[in-house]
Structure formats: structure tokens, C-alpha cells
Amino acid sequence: MLSFNSCKYGALLHSPRIEVGNMMYYLETTAESPLSDAQKHYADFKKLDDKSTQNLRHVLGEGKHYVWIRIEFEIPPEFRNQSLSMVIPHLKFAERLYCNNMLISQQGNFPPNEMSTLFQAHFFSFPRGVLRQEGINTIYIKIFALGKAGISSHSFIQPVNFGFANYDAINFHHTRIYMLLVGILFFTFLLYMSFYLNLPTFKEFRDFAIVNICTSIFIIPFFATELPMYTNNDIPFLPFIKSTLCIQPYFIIYFAALFAMDFQQIKFSPQIELIRRLILAFQVIVTACMPTFEGLVKIAPLMLTLLLVQGCFAAFYVIRNFLHKKTRRLAVQFSLGFLPLALTVTLDLILRAYDNTQTYPYFSIFGWLFVITTFILILSTKFAHIYRKSEQLSDHLQEEVDIRTRDLQGANYELSILNERLEKEKFRADLDLQMASIVQQRFFPQPNKRFRGWELSIYYNQQAIVSGDLYDYYAEKGILNGLSLFDVSGHGLSAGLVTMLSKNIIGHAFQKGFSEKEPIDKILTRINNIILYEKGEIDNYLTGLLCRFEEDEKSGNIKVELGNAGHPYPLKYSAQDNQIYEITGNDGKQHYGAIGMEGIEISFAKSDFVMAEGDILVCYTDGLKEASNAQYEQFGLENIKRIIKANSEKSANEILDLLTKQLFAFIGKKPLEDDITIIIAKRISSVDFVPEDDEDHIASTGIINELLPVDE
């Protein structure tokens, strides 16, 4: 405040000078026009009556222009025999100044490497030998006018000592003073970003930090002429302006609106947040892609309108919070914090409306600094409140810890007793499961077997200790009469118990139906009724296949009658036409229901077909087809068909081995999610068949004659 009101600056403002604002004449020219061209067209110059800060834009129009400015003056007696200087408080874009046919200096750069002096005042020193102490002195200024171009009507000529002091004072207020603000903003960014990184739940700290760093970047052009990297033209002008004056306000308003929401502990709706992000992306992309400075000037009204829209989103929520008692306090705090900015923006508008010939400092930037200072106090108070609360909690923490420690010690003692009991119960349960698994596996016949005219190979893989899959085959004196494959719903011990219960029921029902030549679907219906009665309230149900084989003595082929109770369709490979078929039922009826489902109507599928030499029957549970890899792709039916068809000449055991190897290669390290059982029955020649010892058939009747030792 002292710098604005110092007596020295007031004295400089009233020091003797030659005002040249009313002595300016202009002539539009070309880029190549030399000084002699301006002198040649002396009579064509027009009086520059417009005194506004954008007077050249007003008289020349928008876009790129070159113009000569002519000023003629006489040196008053009190200034004679002194070195004089000229001060132009404001001039855009770049210029080259001549005095009495001599080049004095150049400010900024002309195309193709154009560079503006931005907000800096312009100072030109005239050596005494150049000036005419008596008579007319003529100044020609060639100006490259671009954007909101203009030359200050408050330009003046003074002795060098006064002129440089005035130039230095103007530069202080128009450029250097902003350097202090950048330092404050940068360290505020570091402070509140460090707060946020340690307290990530306080998103308003993050928003506030980003607003500060973006504002500091935005202010850089106001004092860029004090930076060697800019004045040496190390930074291209257009990218510099885009990344500072143009793009940073988009992020400032975006994060300021976000700060308003996080400060009041509310959120934008997803639709509004999407619109805000799209607006920000549009602004940044369009600005970054603009190829020229005049293009940036043209899109400025649209971009300012979009900034206003961004601000209105936050303003709407602030106003809405005023109307609710619970949120009114935070809304009032936020509004008071932004009050300095509102006042200084109003002051800027009034000053520029009252006198558009002056280039005033942007008081709104200082208002923004007051806003930042206010919110530093508000956020610091909030942080201090949290810290005091933490201290209070810490004071009572030890007492709470002691109480909780005693409670935990008692609870831990009780838990240790419970854990001992649980470990004993778990040991017993694991032992029971292992025993159940051993008993269940002894229930099943051996997986690889040869019968007259048949190769039978079975793969059985349980996903848990106890399986819900069951299989069996029924033979007499080396002749295969039938086979079965069933899948009990669910997993674990209950499913395993149902398999053991069901296996005997299915075996007895098949043997009775086989001897009485009962249709296979009727046998399945009887099995359903018995299991419903025997399992009682157990919820598990079964799907399954039941096959009966009968040899045709004339042809040597096998007649197959297959019943399906809601199970995946089995496959038949026909050697005659080298095709694989799904056996879906050919009894002409609708098929529905499964075994053991109380109150559900059933109609089991029945299929009749013939197996010739070389034909293959493949039965499987759904765990095979639905096995998936790490990408959740299922093994699928087509893979099964492909492998069977490609290896049909091999033995049943070889086909099964290839099928399982390719299955596990497909799923990789991903564990199985269901039990898998596969039965491959291949029809072969009956010549020279010798019946094997049928000791395992005892297991197929469901009777275990061999008990485990007591220790086991």
C-alpha cells in the first residue's frame, strides 16, 4: 500500500514533461516499408484522435497490421542541452523508433519471430547530438499491431533522469509487483499440497493447492519481460501465451468450482461433472490447436463464456446451500472468502469504464491474493481444529487403550479356549471327510475295463474331498449289460452321502429292470420315487444317464437304450460316417425334471440307437464342458467333439488320456470348480475275448467287505 501512495511517486507524476498524446499521426503501411517511405507519404498521415488503450485496433481493424506513427515536437527552453527520453506506458505489439532519421531502439520482435513486450512500459533515450535544440524534432515509430493493439495517449518526453524514474515506477506497478504474488502462490501450493498428501480425505486442500499453482503460472506474462529467457526469445511467443494467459484460467475456474464443492462437503451430480470435464477438454484442445495469435483473440469471447458457465455451476450449489440451515454456515464462509475478488473485479470494471485511456494494474489479481489469504486462514483454522481434536483424543487414548487391553486379554483367553475346541472339531471333521472319501471311492468299480466287444475307460476327478459324481457299470460273465453316470447337486459331505445312498438304489433298480426288460425311462422313474422316499428332507437332487446294452446276434451290433434325467446330452461317434451326434432323445415326448426334486413333474428322455464296431459312446458330467481358464473361457462341447473325432482310431484309454490332458492344458493353473467324470465306451471286435477276473464287481453292488484297520 505504501508503494501505491509514496510521495516520491506522486512527485514523479507531476514532474515537467512534454505530453505527446495529441501530437500522434498514423499511416498504415507494409512489413517492408522503410523510414524513407513514411517520410515520402508525409501528407497522407492522419490524426490519431482515438485516445483509448486499443486505439490502433479501432482505426486499423482486427488482425495483423503495420503502421507508422509520427510525432513532432519542439524542445522547451528548460529542456535544452539535456539528454531527453520518451516513455510510452503502453504499446502493443512491437515497435521500432526513429528520431530525426536515426534508429534509436526496438521493443519486441517483428515477424517471423514476433514477440510482444506485453505489459511492460517502453523507454527510449535520445542522445543530445540527435536532437535539434531549436526547431522541429520528428519521431517515427513503426509498429507491428496485432490483437488488441494500441499506443498510450499518455506518452511523454522528459529529461532522462525523470523519464527513467517514471518508466521504472510504471514498470513496478504494471509488471514487477506481480513477481511477489507468484512467490506467495507457489509456496502456498507447496504447503497445501503437502497437507493433502498427508490428509487425502481433505480434497479441498488439493483443489486449493492446484488453484494456487495455476494462478502463479497465469501471472508470469505480467512480468515476463523481466525474465532473460523471455527477452532472449528462448521461449516461442505463441506457446508461451497459450500455456499461461490462455489455458491456465480454464484450470483455475475448474478447480475453483471443485474447491467450492469440496469446501462445502457436497458433490456435483455425475451429469454436471461430465459436462464440466467436457468443457475443460474442449477449451484446452481448441486453444492448444489454434495456429495464430489473432485466432486466440477471436476465440476469447467464447472461452470467457465457457468460463462463466463453469463458475455458474458452483454458484448454483453455493446459493442452494444458503437455503438450507445445515449447510448455510459453510456457504457463508465460502462467499465471504471470495468477497475481496468480487470487490476488486468491480473496481477493475469501473476504472476501465471511467477512463479507457489508462492502463491500470489489474486489481482483481490482488483481490485474488486476498481471497487466497482468506482461505489460508479458513483452512488453517479448520486444520487447527482437527489438530486440537486429535490432541484431545491422544490425551484420553492411553486410558482407552488400557481399558481395551484388559477387555482384549479376557476375550483372547476365551478365544484360545474356543480355538482349541474348534481345532479338535476340525480334526475330527477332516478325519471323517477322509474316511468318507475312502469309502466313497471303494464304492466305485475300477475305471478301466474290457468286456466282450467293449473297451471301457473312466476318468473320475473330485473337486472336493467328497464328490457328488457317481458312476457304475453292470456286467455278467464278461458281458456289459449297462452303465450309469449321475451328478448330485451341491458339494461337500451332503452331496457325497447322497451319491452313496443313490448308487445302491440305482444298481438294484437297473438289475431288476434289466431282468424284466422294463423300458429305461420307467427304471429312471422308479429310481426317482425310491430316492425321494429314502433321502427325506435332504435338498440335493440328481441328474443322470442310464444305459442298457443288448447284443444283436445276427449283426453283432449292440442295441442301446439310453435314459436321460436332465443330464448333459451324451455323444456318439459313428465310425461309418465319421460324425459325432448328440443323443437328445427320440421317443417323441417332451423331457423335463430331474431325480429327487419334490413336487416337480418328470418326463425323462429315452433314446434307442445302435452301436457298431468302431463306434464310441461318450458320457460326462457338466464339470467337463463348463471347465474354464483364467480368462473365464469354457472348454466347451466343440473341443470335446474335436478331440473324439480326431482320435477315434485310438483305444478308449488313449482317447480319455488325450481328452484330459488337453482339458488341463486349456484351464492352466486355474483350479477346477466342479467334479468331473468322463466315461468312454468304445465298441470293438468280440473275437478272442477272454473274461477278466471280476473281483471289482463286488464294489459295483455297493457292498464293502473290506474294512479299514482300527488305527486308520
Side-chain angles (χ1 to χ4, degrees):
M1 295 302 294
L2 290 174
S3 69
F4 279 107
N5 299 285
S6 65
C7 298
K8 184 176 181 181
Y9 183 58
L12 286 173
L13 288 175
H14 298 93
S15 58
R17 65 183 67 189
I18 303 171
E19 299 285 350
V20 298
N22 290 320
M23 305 176 187
M24 295 182 180
Y25 292 79
Y26 73 96
L27 174 68
E28 188 169 4
T29 185
T30 63
E32 298 80 15
S33 174
L35 176 61
S36 59
D37 186 52
Q39 293 170 334
K40 180 179 177 182
H41 294 86
Y42 181 91
D44 296 329
F45 277 77
K46 299 176 184 178
K47 183 73 180 294
L48 186 60
D49 292 321
D50 192 334
K51 307 300 181 188
S52 69
T53 56
Q54 299 182 37
N55 48 19
L56 294 181
R57 182 188 184 191
H58 294 157
V59 298
L60 301 175
E62 296 182 353
K64 291 182 179 181
H65 296 275
Y66 291 87
V67 61
W68 282 106
I69 297 292
R70 189 186 72 217
I71 299 171
E72 295 178 328
F73 68 97
E74 292 185 45
I75 300 176
E78 64 271 24
F79 286 175
R80 288 177 184 171
N81 299 315
Q82 297 184 54
S83 295
L84 300 183
S85 61
M86 182 174 181
V87 178
I88 305 175
H90 167 85
L91 196 157
K92 285 188 178 179
F93 189 87
E95 81 278 3
R96 193 176 294 137
L97 186 141
Y98 300 84
C99 180
N100 295 333
N101 299 328
M102 181 178 179
L103 176 63
I104 301 301
S105 183
Q106 177 175 313
Q107 301 280 345
N109 290 339
F110 284 43
N113 297 316
E114 62 263 30
M115 184 195 74
S116 172
T117 52
L118 296 171
F119 302 93
Q120 182 188 31
H122 298 242
F123 176 79
F124 302 94
S125 177
F126 306 136
R128 270 184 289 180
V130 173
L131 297 171
R132 300 186 182 99
Q133 301 301 315
E134 294 182 4
I136 301 298
N137 291 277
T138 305
I139 295 174
Y140 282 98
I141 309 173
K142 186 176 183 181
I143 299 174
F144 170 56
L146 179 64
K148 299 180 179 181
I151 182 170
S152 176
S153 59
H154 295 278
S155 303
F156 55 89
I157 296 173
Q158 275 186 317
V160 170
N161 56 337
F162 286 104
F164 186 80
N166 271 301
Y167 158 78
D168 204 42
I170 293 169
N171 267 350
F172 175 78
H173 293 100
H174 288 187
T175 60
R176 296 192 194 106
I177 195 170
Y178 297 105
M179 297 175 74
L180 174 65
L181 303 187
V182 169
I184 295 171
L185 293 167
F186 180 72
F187 283 106
T188 304
F189 160 75
L190 292 179
L191 175 65
Y192 279 90
M193 186 54 74
S194 65
F195 281 168
Y196 170 70
L197 293 175
N198 288 281
L199 297 168
T201 54
F202 292 89
K203 294 182 180 178
E204 59 267 37
F205 288 177
R206 175 203 60 192
D207 305 334
F208 189 62
I210 294 175
V211 166
N212 275 271
I213 193 64
C214 291
T215 305
S216 68
I217 298 171
F218 169 73
I219 292 174
I220 289 175
F222 288 90
F223 60 87
T225 50
E226 302 292 330
L227 304 175
M229 65 182 66
Y230 180 80
T231 54
N232 294 338
N233 215 18
D234 295 333
I235 305 174
F237 175 73
L238 189 60
F240 175 73
I241 292 298
K242 286 181 182 179
S243 59
T244 54
L245 282 179
C246 297
I247 292 178
Q248 294 309 314
Y250 310 153
F251 287 98
I252 291 170
I253 299 301
Y254 178 85
F255 281 100
L258 195 60
F259 172 69
M261 303 299 289
D262 289 332
F263 183 85
Q264 298 174 89
Q265 299 174 4
I266 52 178
K267 290 185 177 180
F268 286 115
S269 67
Q271 296 83 0
I272 291 180
E273 184 57 32
L274 177 62
I275 293 171
R276 280 173 24 86
R277 292 182 181 183
L278 290 174
I279 289 174
L280 178 64
F282 173 79
Q283 290 174 307
V284 172
I285 292 171
V286 170
T287 302
C289 295
M290 195 58 59
T292 61
F293 182 80
E294 52 265 40
L296 294 176
V297 174
K298 287 180 181 179
I299 65 170
L302 172 63
M303 297 302 159
L304 290 173
T305 302
L306 292 176
L307 285 179
L308 182 62
V309 172
Q310 286 274 33
C312 286
F313 286 133
F316 168 78
Y317 283 94
V318 173
I319 294 170
R320 192 181 70 172
N321 276 3
F322 269 112
L323 305 177
H324 295 84
K325 189 174 181 180
K326 291 182 179 179
T327 57
R328 188 173 298 154
R329 182 179 62 83
L330 289 173
V332 169
Q333 279 186 356
F334 182 81
S335 302
L336 289 176
F338 269 86
L339 184 61
L341 179 63
L343 294 176
T344 51
V345 168
T346 304
L347 177 61
D348 275 338
L349 293 174
I350 292 172
L351 284 174
R352 281 154 179 77
Y354 173 73
D355 183 6
N356 65 354
T357 67
Q358 290 276 18
T359 305
Y360 294 99
Y362 286 91
F363 292 103
S364 53
I365 294 179
F366 298 96
W368 183 244
L369 181 64
F370 281 111
V371 169
I372 287 172
T373 305
T374 303
F375 277 107
I376 287 174
L377 295 174
I378 292 172
L379 294 176
S380 298
T381 303
K382 186 175 183 179
F383 182 79
H385 175 72
I386 296 168
Y387 182 75
R388 283 196 299 271
K389 191 172 182 180
S390 298
E391 278 190 326
Q392 291 173 358
L393 290 173
S394 297
D395 292 339
H396 299 288
L397 184 60
Q398 189 59 47
E399 182 181 346
E400 291 292 327
V401 167
D402 293 340
I403 294 172
R404 296 292 178 265
T405 300
R406 288 193 296 270
D407 292 343
L408 284 171
Q409 286 174 344
N412 285 336
Y413 177 72
E414 294 178 4
L415 282 173
S416 64
I417 295 174
L418 289 173
N419 282 336
E420 288 181 9
R421 293 178 183 173
L422 285 173
E423 285 178 3
K424 291 178 180 179
E425 294 295 329
K426 183 178 181 299
F427 176 77
R428 289 178 182 175
D430 289 345
L431 186 60
D432 290 344
L433 279 174
Q434 293 291 342
M435 289 294 294
S437 176
I438 293 169
V439 171
Q440 186 185 48
Q441 290 179 37
R442 286 175 177 263
F443 252 60
F444 298 136
Q446 69 180 65
N448 297 307
K449 189 77 172 176
R450 287 175 65 92
F451 299 95
R452 189 173 73 185
W454 289 99
E455 282 182 351
L456 191 64
S457 189
I458 301 171
Y459 175 79
Y460 174 75
N461 189 326
Q462 54 200 61
Q463 184 260 344
I465 296 176
V466 180
S467 173
D469 287 0
L470 67 97
Y471 70 88
D472 203 353
Y473 49 81
Y474 314 103
E476 185 177 359
K477 297 180 180 179
I479 298 174
L480 183 64
N481 295 328
L483 60 82
S484 63
L485 175 62
F486 285 82
D487 184 2
V488 180
S489 65
H491 299 282
L493 191 58
S494 62
L497 291 174
V498 172
T499 62
M500 296 169 70
L501 168 70
S502 303
K503 184 176 182 298
N504 280 333
I505 294 172
I506 295 167
H508 288 302
F510 176 83
Q511 298 289 8
K512 185 176 184 299
F514 182 81
S515 62
E516 297 177 2
K517 296 188 178 181
E518 190 176 9
I520 202 75
D521 54 340
K522 298 294 184 184
I523 299 175
L524 284 173
T525 302
R526 185 186 308 113
I527 292 169
N528 176 63
N529 295 334
I530 297 172
I531 287 177
L532 276 173
Y533 175 79
E534 292 292 342
K535 76 184 183 71
E537 299 298 323
I538 299 175
D539 292 332
N540 301 76
Y541 63 90
L542 296 84
T543 65
L545 303 171
L546 190 61
C547 294
R548 177 166 58 196
F549 304 127
E550 183 177 350
E551 187 171 357
D552 186 343
E553 295 180 358
K554 293 181 179 181
S555 64
N557 294 334
I558 293 292
K559 296 179 182 178
V560 182
E561 187 181 10
L562 187 147
N564 190 332
H567 200 76
Y569 297 131
L571 303 175
K572 177 200 169 184
Y573 170 75
S574 173
Q576 181 179 357
D577 53 12
N578 192 32
Q579 293 296 325
I580 294 183
Y581 304 96
E582 285 188 79
I583 302 172
T584 59
N586 54 12
D587 55 0
K589 298 187 298 183
Q590 287 187 331
H591 309 130
Y592 43 82
I595 293 173
M597 300 181 73
E598 186 73 43
I600 303 296
E601 290 189 28
I602 56 172
S603 176
F604 298 137
K606 177 176 174 292
S607 302
D608 294 296
F609 57 94
V610 173
M611 294 280 290
E613 186 174 331
D615 290 354
I616 303 171
L617 180 64
V618 182
C619 304
Y620 57 88
T621 55
D622 54 7
L624 171 63
K625 186 170 63 174
E626 296 174 1
S628 61
N629 58 19
Q631 289 74 42
Y632 297 97
E633 298 168 333
Q634 291 189 347
F635 188 63
L637 183 61
E638 292 305 316
N639 273 331
I640 302 171
K641 289 181 176 180
R642 175 181 56 79
I643 295 167
I644 299 298
K645 187 175 180 181
N647 299 280
S648 59
E649 297 297 324
K650 294 181 172 62
S651 68
N653 192 42
E654 289 172 329
I655 295 171
L656 184 63
D657 187 53
L658 286 168
L659 179 60
T660 53
K661 282 182 179 178
Q662 293 196 35
L663 167 68
F664 285 100
F666 175 82
I667 65 175
K669 295 182 179 179
K670 189 172 183 290
L672 292 173
E673 297 178 356
D674 199 359
D675 304 321
I676 295 178
T677 303
I678 309 167
I679 299 177
I680 303 237
K682 183 172 182 180
R683 184 75 177 136
I684 59 174
S685 173
S686 302
V687 179
D688 299 329
F689 171 74
V690 178
E692 297 177 11
D693 187 12
D694 209 19
E695 292 178 358
D696 69 294
H697 189 62
I698 297 173
S700 70
T701 65
I703 302 170
I704 301 178
N705 295 322
E706 182 182 341
L707 296 177
L708 292 173
V710 174
D711 290 343
E712 293 187 28

